[in-house]
């Protein structure tokens, strides 16, 4: 169940030229939020902009009764959000959507591209410590593959490294990690590090731009590995009533905000 509440800003830091980390206090969302779920944020106290903005739960910290968001300023809404100050309150609706379901697999491979890394930290922490997060089975080995345009845009590396030693990075321009796409490192890890252990033992969780998700889905299909993919779509209500975020799937039309944002990769239809 989701609730609407005013959450106090505990911390708000600029971590890169256009990127911010925001910590909000909420006993309810930190207790009930799951990795892959999101909240819908009213970025200003006025009616401009009218629509809330969806942001993923980046870290879920029930003991501190708080949660973190990681966001990039891309337009008016996120620009307004970036001006909100510590101690003030933000109107939030959440937790929303269906998150990742933790699968009983020994090896979890998390693939994040650009801002798609945002929900993967909460997932990595839940996989590492399933008891503390009370979210089902964990994984013996966690691989985190991060893709970004350049070094400045590699996000949350330190936080992922505190969860697992297996953090691999690809940048489009080669300024950090391997030059190329994060899907290239996925193939490399599957073929050169994990095979033949992948089949039946591994699961892929991915979030990022559509092109990356399509590539990950194709690789998962070829390697016969299950994959869960978090989709992004422009949203209005965020609660399944306006039909503004509908996508076609092999099982009919689905609402990204309500049926998703996380879907099994086999269900998805990609446009060429
Ligand atoms: C389920 C979900 C979870 C998300 N989680 C995060 C997150 O953790 N961190 C984060 O930085 N962003 C996240 N986003 C994207 C975020 O919601 C948008 O960047 C934000 O709403 C943009 O608002 P704005 O007013 O600043 O920009 P706008 O002025 O509305 O748009 C600026 C530009 O961003 C593009 N854009 C806006 N919304 C989206 C979207 N949903 N998908 C693709 N492109 C978009 C527009 O096409 C336009 O080019 C998420 C989106 C969804 C659907
Ligand atoms: S945003 Fe309204 S139904 Fe999904």
């Amino acid at each position: 169940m989701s609730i609407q509440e005013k959450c106090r800003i505990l911390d708000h830091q600029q971590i890169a030229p256009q990127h911010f980390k925001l910590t909000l206090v909420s006993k309810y969302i930190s207790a009930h939020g799951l990795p892959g779920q999101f909240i819908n944020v009213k970025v200003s106290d006025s009616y401009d902009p009218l629509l809330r903005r969806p942001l993923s739960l980046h870290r879920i910290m029930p003991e501190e009764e708080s949660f973190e968001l990681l966001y990039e300023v891309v337009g008016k809404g996120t620009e307004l959000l970036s001006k909100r100050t510590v101690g003030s309150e933000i109107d939030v609706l959440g937790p929303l959507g269906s998150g990742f379901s933790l699968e009983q697999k020994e090896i979890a491979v998390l693939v994040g591209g650009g801002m798609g890394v945002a929900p993967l930290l909460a997932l990595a922490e839940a996989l590492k410590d399933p008891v503390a997060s009370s979210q089902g089975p964990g994984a013996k080995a966690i691989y985190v593959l991060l893709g970004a345009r350049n070094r400045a845009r590699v996000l949350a590396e330190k936080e992922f490294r505190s969860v697992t030693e297996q953090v691999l990075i690809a940048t489009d321009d080669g300024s950090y990690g391997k030059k190329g796409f994060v899907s290239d490192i996925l193939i490399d890890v599957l073929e050169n590090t994990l095979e033949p252990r992948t089949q039946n033992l591994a699961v892929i969780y991915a979030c990022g731009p559509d092109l990356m998700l399509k590539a990950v889905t194709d690789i998962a299909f070829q390697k016969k590995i299950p994959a869960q993919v978090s989709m992004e779509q422009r949203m209005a209500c965020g609660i399944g009533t306006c039909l503004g975020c509908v996508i076609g799937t092999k099982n009919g039309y689905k609402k990204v905000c309500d049926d998703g944002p996380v879907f099994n990769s086999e269900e998805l239809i990609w446009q060429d």
Side-chain angles (χ1 to χ4, degrees), residues 75-122:
K76 186 176 182 176
T78 43
E79 175 73 35
L80 284 166
L81 184 62
S82 72
K83 308 286 184 232
R84 305 298 296 257
T85 51
V86 171
S88 64
E89 292 186 328
I90 300 190
D91 191 316
V92 157
L93 190 61
L96 299 169
S98 305
F100 294 102
S101 51
L102 271 56
E103 294 198 23
Q104 201 122 29
K105 300 279 183 189
E106 283 188 14
I107 304 163
V109 185
L110 280 55
V111 188
M115 273 319 303
V117 305
L120 298 184
L121 184 61

Side-chain angles (χ1 to χ4, degrees), residues 206-255:
C207 184
D210 278 1
L211 273 178
M212 182 208 98
L213 294 181
K214 181 178 183 311
V216 170
T217 298
D218 288 346
I219 295 163
F221 178 75
Q222 282 159 21
K223 302 284 180 194
K224 299 188 174 62
I225 300 172
Q228 294 179 33
V229 167
S230 181
M231 301 292 288
E232 252 200 33
Q233 194 76 350
R234 296 298 303 253
M235 287 183 184
C237 71
I239 51 170
T241 53
C242 74
L243 303 184
C245 66
V246 161
I247 56 167
T249 74
K250 290 175 188 162
N251 301 318
Y253 288 107
K254 294 278 173 90
K255 291 174 270 187

Side-chain angles (χ1 to χ4, degrees), residues 94 97 107 126 135 181:
I107 304 163
Q135 276 155 43
F181 297 129

Side-chain angles (χ1 to χ4, degrees), residues 4 12 21 43 95 147 175 179 183 193 197 201 209 220 246-247 253:
Q4 183 180 349
H12 198 180
K21 198 154 78 172
V43 290
S175 52
K179 186 176 189 319
S183 48
T193 310
R197 292 187 294 145
L201 292 181
V246 161
I247 56 167
Y253 288 107

